[in-house]
Amino acid sequence: LHTEEKQHGDVTDLICLDALHEAYRNLEEARLRCREGAHALATSRETLDQALDLAYQQQSFGPLNSLFDEEEAALAVYEQAVAKVREAEGRWFALSAALAYEKERSQAGQVFSTRAH
């Protein structure tokens, strides 16, 4: 990351504010995909539950294999989405902490240089 000055006067030594904003956008996108994955998984499980109830009533379990496969695939997609959210959260939190540290150091340096004069 690099030094960058923003219109509102924020200057950082190491953290580019654009990188922080991009990390936040990535986090929001990952959260959206996770919610979509959770919905797809819930829908798949609901369909499977209804099919299982019907299969028990009719004592016919043959056509359930594809529904189990769909549920397993939806679970895999959801688990990947959860992992991406954790990864995106980690990046965003790390960049946020680094920026806060930089601002603190910068302000401490400004106070020190003002006192030195």
Side-chain angles (χ1 to χ4, degrees), residues 54-76:
L54 184 61
Y56 278 117
Q57 290 172 5
Q58 297 176 351
Q59 291 298 301
S60 173
F61 300 96
L64 295 176
N65 288 337
S66 65
L67 292 175
F68 279 113
D69 291 343
E70 288 175 22
E71 189 270 344
E72 188 176 322
L75 178 59

PDB file of all heavy atoms in Angstrom, residues 54-76:
ATOM      1  N   LEU A  54     -42.876 -36.828   1.961  1.00  0.00           N
ATOM      2  CA  LEU A  54     -43.660 -37.504   0.925  1.00  0.00           C
ATOM      3  C   LEU A  54     -43.137 -38.917   0.686  1.00  0.00           C
ATOM      4  O   LEU A  54     -43.916 -39.871   0.547  1.00  0.00           O
ATOM      5  CB  LEU A  54     -43.629 -36.696  -0.370  1.00  0.00           C
ATOM      6  CG  LEU A  54     -44.482 -37.223  -1.520  1.00  0.00           C
ATOM      7  CD1 LEU A  54     -45.957 -37.259  -1.121  1.00  0.00           C
ATOM      8  CD2 LEU A  54     -44.287 -36.350  -2.756  1.00  0.00           C
ATOM      9  N   ALA A  55     -41.827 -39.072   0.675  1.00  0.00           N
ATOM     10  CA  ALA A  55     -41.225 -40.396   0.444  1.00  0.00           C
ATOM     11  C   ALA A  55     -41.607 -41.369   1.560  1.00  0.00           C
ATOM     12  O   ALA A  55     -41.894 -42.538   1.293  1.00  0.00           O
ATOM     13  CB  ALA A  55     -39.712 -40.274   0.341  1.00  0.00           C
ATOM     14  N   TYR A  56     -41.609 -40.897   2.807  1.00  0.00           N
ATOM     15  CA  TYR A  56     -42.022 -41.770   3.914  1.00  0.00           C
ATOM     16  C   TYR A  56     -43.485 -42.166   3.787  1.00  0.00           C
ATOM     17  O   TYR A  56     -43.852 -43.317   4.053  1.00  0.00           O
ATOM     18  CB  TYR A  56     -41.777 -41.087   5.265  1.00  0.00           C
ATOM     19  CG  TYR A  56     -40.355 -41.193   5.741  1.00  0.00           C
ATOM     20  CD1 TYR A  56     -39.582 -40.043   5.916  1.00  0.00           C
ATOM     21  CD2 TYR A  56     -39.768 -42.427   6.021  1.00  0.00           C
ATOM     22  CE1 TYR A  56     -38.260 -40.133   6.350  1.00  0.00           C
ATOM     23  CE2 TYR A  56     -38.453 -42.525   6.447  1.00  0.00           C
ATOM     24  CZ  TYR A  56     -37.714 -41.383   6.615  1.00  0.00           C
ATOM     25  OH  TYR A  56     -36.415 -41.467   7.038  1.00  0.00           O
ATOM     26  N   GLN A  57     -44.306 -41.219   3.368  1.00  0.00           N
ATOM     27  CA  GLN A  57     -45.729 -41.524   3.195  1.00  0.00           C
ATOM     28  C   GLN A  57     -45.932 -42.564   2.097  1.00  0.00           C
ATOM     29  O   GLN A  57     -46.753 -43.473   2.229  1.00  0.00           O
ATOM     30  CB  GLN A  57     -46.520 -40.263   2.845  1.00  0.00           C
ATOM     31  CG  GLN A  57     -46.644 -39.272   3.979  1.00  0.00           C
ATOM     32  CD  GLN A  57     -47.266 -37.961   3.520  1.00  0.00           C
ATOM     33  OE1 GLN A  57     -47.697 -37.822   2.370  1.00  0.00           O
ATOM     34  NE2 GLN A  57     -47.296 -36.980   4.411  1.00  0.00           N
ATOM     35  N   GLN A  58     -45.179 -42.432   1.024  1.00  0.00           N
ATOM     36  CA  GLN A  58     -45.344 -43.323  -0.127  1.00  0.00           C
ATOM     37  C   GLN A  58     -44.397 -44.518  -0.087  1.00  0.00           C
ATOM     38  O   GLN A  58     -44.498 -45.402  -0.931  1.00  0.00           O
ATOM     39  CB  GLN A  58     -45.123 -42.544  -1.425  1.00  0.00           C
ATOM     40  CG  GLN A  58     -46.115 -41.439  -1.643  1.00  0.00           C
ATOM     41  CD  GLN A  58     -45.822 -40.628  -2.895  1.00  0.00           C
ATOM     42  OE1 GLN A  58     -44.777 -40.774  -3.532  1.00  0.00           O
ATOM     43  NE2 GLN A  58     -46.764 -39.767  -3.254  1.00  0.00           N
ATOM     44  N   GLN A  59     -43.468 -44.520   0.868  1.00  0.00           N
ATOM     45  CA  GLN A  59     -42.443 -45.576   0.967  1.00  0.00           C
ATOM     46  C   GLN A  59     -41.685 -45.744  -0.353  1.00  0.00           C
ATOM     47  O   GLN A  59     -41.394 -46.852  -0.793  1.00  0.00           O
ATOM     48  CB  GLN A  59     -43.081 -46.902   1.405  1.00  0.00           C
ATOM     49  CG  GLN A  59     -43.571 -46.900   2.840  1.00  0.00           C
ATOM     50  CD  GLN A  59     -42.432 -46.687   3.840  1.00  0.00           C
ATOM     51  OE1 GLN A  59     -41.491 -47.454   3.873  1.00  0.00           O
ATOM     52  NE2 GLN A  59     -42.524 -45.630   4.635  1.00  0.00           N
ATOM     53  N   SER A  60     -41.343 -44.607  -0.960  1.00  0.00           N
ATOM     54  CA  SER A  60     -40.591 -44.587  -2.205  1.00  0.00           C
ATOM     55  C   SER A  60     -39.466 -43.565  -2.055  1.00  0.00           C
ATOM     56  O   SER A  60     -39.712 -42.362  -2.040  1.00  0.00           O
ATOM     57  CB  SER A  60     -41.514 -44.193  -3.368  1.00  0.00           C
ATOM     58  OG  SER A  60     -40.763 -44.009  -4.539  1.00  0.00           O
ATOM     59  N   PHE A  61     -38.230 -44.075  -1.946  1.00  0.00           N
ATOM     60  CA  PHE A  61     -37.101 -43.203  -1.636  1.00  0.00           C
ATOM     61  C   PHE A  61     -36.126 -43.016  -2.802  1.00  0.00           C
ATOM     62  O   PHE A  61     -35.131 -42.332  -2.685  1.00  0.00           O
ATOM     63  CB  PHE A  61     -36.328 -43.751  -0.424  1.00  0.00           C
ATOM     64  CG  PHE A  61     -37.190 -43.834   0.805  1.00  0.00           C
ATOM     65  CD1 PHE A  61     -37.814 -45.024   1.150  1.00  0.00           C
ATOM     66  CD2 PHE A  61     -37.384 -42.723   1.595  1.00  0.00           C
ATOM     67  CE1 PHE A  61     -38.612 -45.093   2.278  1.00  0.00           C
ATOM     68  CE2 PHE A  61     -38.175 -42.783   2.719  1.00  0.00           C
ATOM     69  CZ  PHE A  61     -38.799 -43.974   3.067  1.00  0.00           C
ATOM     70  N   GLY A  62     -36.411 -43.594  -3.929  1.00  0.00           N
ATOM     71  CA  GLY A  62     -35.520 -43.545  -5.082  1.00  0.00           C
ATOM     72  C   GLY A  62     -35.190 -42.149  -5.586  1.00  0.00           C
ATOM     73  O   GLY A  62     -34.025 -41.832  -5.839  1.00  0.00           O
ATOM     74  N   PRO A  63     -36.172 -41.256  -5.752  1.00  0.00           N
ATOM     75  CA  PRO A  63     -35.878 -39.959  -6.374  1.00  0.00           C
ATOM     76  C   PRO A  63     -35.200 -38.939  -5.439  1.00  0.00           C
ATOM     77  O   PRO A  63     -34.987 -37.800  -5.819  1.00  0.00           O
ATOM     78  CB  PRO A  63     -37.259 -39.454  -6.797  1.00  0.00           C
ATOM     79  CG  PRO A  63     -38.238 -40.176  -5.958  1.00  0.00           C
ATOM     80  CD  PRO A  63     -37.597 -41.477  -5.584  1.00  0.00           C
ATOM     81  N   LEU A  64     -34.827 -39.353  -4.253  1.00  0.00           N
ATOM     82  CA  LEU A  64     -34.251 -38.403  -3.299  1.00  0.00           C
ATOM     83  C   LEU A  64     -32.770 -38.121  -3.522  1.00  0.00           C
ATOM     84  O   LEU A  64     -32.253 -37.120  -3.030  1.00  0.00           O
ATOM     85  CB  LEU A  64     -34.456 -38.911  -1.864  1.00  0.00           C
ATOM     86  CG  LEU A  64     -35.906 -38.991  -1.387  1.00  0.00           C
ATOM     87  CD1 LEU A  64     -35.961 -39.587  -0.001  1.00  0.00           C
ATOM     88  CD2 LEU A  64     -36.549 -37.621  -1.409  1.00  0.00           C
ATOM     89  N   ASN A  65     -32.092 -38.992  -4.254  1.00  0.00           N
ATOM     90  CA  ASN A  65     -30.645 -38.835  -4.419  1.00  0.00           C
ATOM     91  C   ASN A  65     -30.266 -37.466  -4.999  1.00  0.00           C
ATOM     92  O   ASN A  65     -29.321 -36.828  -4.531  1.00  0.00           O
ATOM     93  CB  ASN A  65     -30.074 -39.946  -5.299  1.00  0.00           C
ATOM     94  CG  ASN A  65     -30.047 -41.279  -4.576  1.00  0.00           C
ATOM     95  OD1 ASN A  65     -30.042 -41.312  -3.347  1.00  0.00           O
ATOM     96  ND2 ASN A  65     -30.053 -42.363  -5.326  1.00  0.00           N
ATOM     97  N   SER A  66     -30.988 -37.015  -6.005  1.00  0.00           N
ATOM     98  CA  SER A  66     -30.651 -35.723  -6.607  1.00  0.00           C
ATOM     99  C   SER A  66     -30.875 -34.581  -5.619  1.00  0.00           C
ATOM    100  O   SER A  66     -30.115 -33.606  -5.599  1.00  0.00           O
ATOM    101  CB  SER A  66     -31.452 -35.490  -7.890  1.00  0.00           C
ATOM    102  OG  SER A  66     -32.828 -35.385  -7.596  1.00  0.00           O
ATOM    103  N   LEU A  67     -31.884 -34.702  -4.761  1.00  0.00           N
ATOM    104  CA  LEU A  67     -32.129 -33.662  -3.763  1.00  0.00           C
ATOM    105  C   LEU A  67     -31.022 -33.640  -2.708  1.00  0.00           C
ATOM    106  O   LEU A  67     -30.603 -32.564  -2.247  1.00  0.00           O
ATOM    107  CB  LEU A  67     -33.498 -33.850  -3.106  1.00  0.00           C
ATOM    108  CG  LEU A  67     -34.704 -33.611  -4.011  1.00  0.00           C
ATOM    109  CD1 LEU A  67     -36.003 -33.938  -3.284  1.00  0.00           C
ATOM    110  CD2 LEU A  67     -34.719 -32.175  -4.511  1.00  0.00           C
ATOM    111  N   PHE A  68     -30.547 -34.813  -2.324  1.00  0.00           N
ATOM    112  CA  PHE A  68     -29.414 -34.865  -1.387  1.00  0.00           C
ATOM    113  C   PHE A  68     -28.167 -34.251  -2.023  1.00  0.00           C
ATOM    114  O   PHE A  68     -27.416 -33.531  -1.362  1.00  0.00           O
ATOM    115  CB  PHE A  68     -29.120 -36.312  -0.951  1.00  0.00           C
ATOM    116  CG  PHE A  68     -30.026 -36.803   0.135  1.00  0.00           C
ATOM    117  CD1 PHE A  68     -30.944 -37.816  -0.113  1.00  0.00           C
ATOM    118  CD2 PHE A  68     -29.958 -36.269   1.419  1.00  0.00           C
ATOM    119  CE1 PHE A  68     -31.777 -38.284   0.893  1.00  0.00           C
ATOM    120  CE2 PHE A  68     -30.793 -36.731   2.428  1.00  0.00           C
ATOM    121  CZ  PHE A  68     -31.714 -37.743   2.165  1.00  0.00           C
ATOM    122  N   ASP A  69     -27.961 -34.523  -3.314  1.00  0.00           N
ATOM    123  CA  ASP A  69     -26.821 -33.941  -4.032  1.00  0.00           C
ATOM    124  C   ASP A  69     -26.930 -32.411  -4.081  1.00  0.00           C
ATOM    125  O   ASP A  69     -25.945 -31.701  -3.888  1.00  0.00           O
ATOM    126  CB  ASP A  69     -26.728 -34.495  -5.454  1.00  0.00           C
ATOM    127  CG  ASP A  69     -26.323 -35.968  -5.478  1.00  0.00           C
ATOM    128  OD1 ASP A  69     -25.813 -36.475  -4.441  1.00  0.00           O
ATOM    129  OD2 ASP A  69     -26.520 -36.605  -6.533  1.00  0.00           O
ATOM    130  N   GLU A  70     -28.134 -31.918  -4.356  1.00  0.00           N
ATOM    131  CA  GLU A  70     -28.353 -30.468  -4.400  1.00  0.00           C
ATOM    132  C   GLU A  70     -28.099 -29.830  -3.029  1.00  0.00           C
ATOM    133  O   GLU A  70     -27.498 -28.760  -2.946  1.00  0.00           O
ATOM    134  CB  GLU A  70     -29.782 -30.160  -4.857  1.00  0.00           C
ATOM    135  CG  GLU A  70     -30.020 -30.423  -6.330  1.00  0.00           C
ATOM    136  CD  GLU A  70     -31.469 -30.216  -6.733  1.00  0.00           C
ATOM    137  OE1 GLU A  70     -32.210 -29.491  -6.020  1.00  0.00           O
ATOM    138  OE2 GLU A  70     -31.880 -30.772  -7.761  1.00  0.00           O
ATOM    139  N   GLU A  71     -28.563 -30.488  -1.983  1.00  0.00           N
ATOM    140  CA  GLU A  71     -28.360 -29.960  -0.632  1.00  0.00           C
ATOM    141  C   GLU A  71     -26.881 -29.950  -0.285  1.00  0.00           C
ATOM    142  O   GLU A  71     -26.367 -28.985   0.281  1.00  0.00           O
ATOM    143  CB  GLU A  71     -29.144 -30.803   0.384  1.00  0.00           C
ATOM    144  CG  GLU A  71     -29.180 -30.228   1.783  1.00  0.00           C
ATOM    145  CD  GLU A  71     -28.036 -30.675   2.674  1.00  0.00           C
ATOM    146  OE1 GLU A  71     -27.359 -31.671   2.342  1.00  0.00           O
ATOM    147  OE2 GLU A  71     -27.813 -30.030   3.719  1.00  0.00           O
ATOM    148  N   GLU A  72     -26.170 -30.993  -0.664  1.00  0.00           N
ATOM    149  CA  GLU A  72     -24.734 -31.067  -0.409  1.00  0.00           C
ATOM    150  C   GLU A  72     -23.980 -29.972  -1.171  1.00  0.00           C
ATOM    151  O   GLU A  72     -23.084 -29.325  -0.629  1.00  0.00           O
ATOM    152  CB  GLU A  72     -24.211 -32.449  -0.813  1.00  0.00           C
ATOM    153  CG  GLU A  72     -22.775 -32.689  -0.417  1.00  0.00           C
ATOM    154  CD  GLU A  72     -22.322 -34.105  -0.739  1.00  0.00           C
ATOM    155  OE1 GLU A  72     -23.115 -35.045  -0.579  1.00  0.00           O
ATOM    156  OE2 GLU A  72     -21.157 -34.253  -1.152  1.00  0.00           O
ATOM    157  N   ALA A  73     -24.365 -29.732  -2.415  1.00  0.00           N
ATOM    158  CA  ALA A  73     -23.734 -28.678  -3.211  1.00  0.00           C
ATOM    159  C   ALA A  73     -24.038 -27.299  -2.613  1.00  0.00           C
ATOM    160  O   ALA A  73     -23.154 -26.437  -2.531  1.00  0.00           O
ATOM    161  CB  ALA A  73     -24.216 -28.751  -4.656  1.00  0.00           C
ATOM    162  N   ALA A  74     -25.278 -27.083  -2.175  1.00  0.00           N
ATOM    163  CA  ALA A  74     -25.654 -25.802  -1.572  1.00  0.00           C
ATOM    164  C   ALA A  74     -24.882 -25.586  -0.270  1.00  0.00           C
ATOM    165  O   ALA A  74     -24.445 -24.473   0.029  1.00  0.00           O
ATOM    166  CB  ALA A  74     -27.158 -25.751  -1.318  1.00  0.00           C
ATOM    167  N   LEU A  75     -24.679 -26.653   0.487  1.00  0.00           N
ATOM    168  CA  LEU A  75     -23.910 -26.562   1.724  1.00  0.00           C
ATOM    169  C   LEU A  75     -22.456 -26.189   1.425  1.00  0.00           C
ATOM    170  O   LEU A  75     -21.871 -25.334   2.101  1.00  0.00           O
ATOM    171  CB  LEU A  75     -23.968 -27.881   2.493  1.00  0.00           C
ATOM    172  CG  LEU A  75     -23.167 -27.948   3.786  1.00  0.00           C
ATOM    173  CD1 LEU A  75     -23.618 -26.877   4.774  1.00  0.00           C
ATOM    174  CD2 LEU A  75     -23.266 -29.341   4.393  1.00  0.00           C
ATOM    175  N   ALA A  76     -21.879 -26.773   0.393  1.00  0.00           N
ATOM    176  CA  ALA A  76     -20.498 -26.461   0.019  1.00  0.00           C
ATOM    177  C   ALA A  76     -20.362 -25.000  -0.398  1.00  0.00           C
ATOM    178  O   ALA A  76     -19.416 -24.314   0.008  1.00  0.00           O
ATOM    179  CB  ALA A  76     -20.033 -27.389  -1.106  1.00  0.00           C
TER     180      ALA A  76
END
